[in-house]
Amino acid sequence: MATITTPVDVRELLQDECYIEFLREDFDVKAYTSQSIYQAVIAEQLAKLAQGISQLDKELHLQVVARHEDLLAQATGIESLEGVLQMMQTRIGALQSAVDRIRAKIVDPYNKIVSRTAQLARLQAACDLLRRIIRIRYLSKRLQGQLQGGSREITKAAQSLNELGNVSQYLFWRNI
């Protein structure tokens, strides 16, 4: 791209005492207006400002004409970039849809498996407790029968009582 050069008349215009004040960082519109009114040179300054605006318009027109091809190329480049951006947004949308489908195929079944595994673990624990409770009931009934059998069944009753203590202790420690 070519560098922009300012013709001599525009440079002179920008260095004119009348216009330099507008280019300052601390330019104050109210102060400038009140000073112009006070000095009663409004018509002269307005004419000079109009002349400066006219020169700037001419320079702008010359710059646009001189760089017409570059400006058109940049405008075309912007249009092509907008097309690429639109295509990328479409592809991003398609990719997001694919991720959502994969998530539905993987994450949802995984969550179901985790839930069912926890449910299975609870069922197994409940079955284990039920088996031990059934064993306790069986040992209790057997112990009652052995105690009614008298002294000849005392050894068997001691074994049943020991086994009953072991099963009961397991249930006690398991629930703590």
Side-chain angles (χ1 to χ4, degrees):
M1 186 169 162
T3 58
I4 297 176
T5 58
T6 308
V8 176
D9 58 338
V10 174
R11 279 191 222 145
E12 289 173 2
L13 176 72
L14 295 175
Q15 291 176 355
D16 189 330
E17 185 180 310
C18 181
Y19 302 116
I20 285 181
E21 193 168 337
F22 291 104
L23 299 174
R24 289 192 352 224
E25 293 284 330
D26 61 343
F27 176 72
D28 185 9
V29 176
K30 291 180 182 179
Y32 179 79
T33 307
S34 66
Q35 182 184 9
S36 297
I37 291 172
Y38 180 71
Q39 293 176 354
V41 288
I42 296 173
E44 182 182 314
Q45 288 185 346
L46 285 176
K48 204 165 188 176
L49 286 173
Q51 179 187 6
I53 290 172
S54 174
Q55 284 179 326
L56 288 174
D57 282 342
K58 288 177 189 174
E59 179 59 28
L60 181 60
H61 178 72
L62 289 173
Q63 293 293 327
V64 169
V65 168
R67 286 159 182 76
H68 177 72
E69 294 298 325
D70 291 340
L71 292 172
L72 285 177
Q74 287 180 3
T76 304
I78 289 171
E79 288 177 7
S80 66
L81 285 176
E82 285 175 348
V84 169
L85 179 62
Q86 182 64 34
M87 181 180 60
M88 292 304 292
Q89 287 175 338
T90 303
R91 288 183 179 175
I92 288 171
L95 183 61
Q96 185 64 43
S97 297
V99 167
D100 290 343
R101 284 193 307 274
I102 289 172
R103 180 177 291 130
K105 288 182 180 179
I106 294 173
V107 173
D108 293 344
Y110 172 78
N111 289 338
K112 286 181 184 177
I113 288 172
V114 168
S115 172
R116 298 286 166 85
T117 302
Q119 186 179 19
L120 180 61
R122 289 190 299 268
L123 282 172
Q124 287 174 336
C127 287
D128 185 47
L129 287 174
L130 285 174
R131 277 194 301 276
R132 291 184 188 275
I133 290 171
I134 290 170
R135 181 72 178 158
I136 288 172
R137 288 192 68 203
Y138 169 75
L139 289 172
S140 296
K141 285 182 182 179
R142 189 172 79 180
L143 181 61
Q144 284 176 353
Q146 290 168 343
L147 290 175
Q148 289 174 357
S151 59
R152 60 184 166 95
E153 296 279 330
I154 197 79
T155 307
K156 290 181 182 177
Q159 287 176 340
S160 294
L161 187 60
N162 183 35
E163 190 176 347
L164 186 62
N166 289 339
V167 173
S168 298
Q169 186 178 15
Y170 174 82
L171 285 176
F172 174 75
W173 286 108
R174 172 133 172 121
N175 290 327
I176 289 182

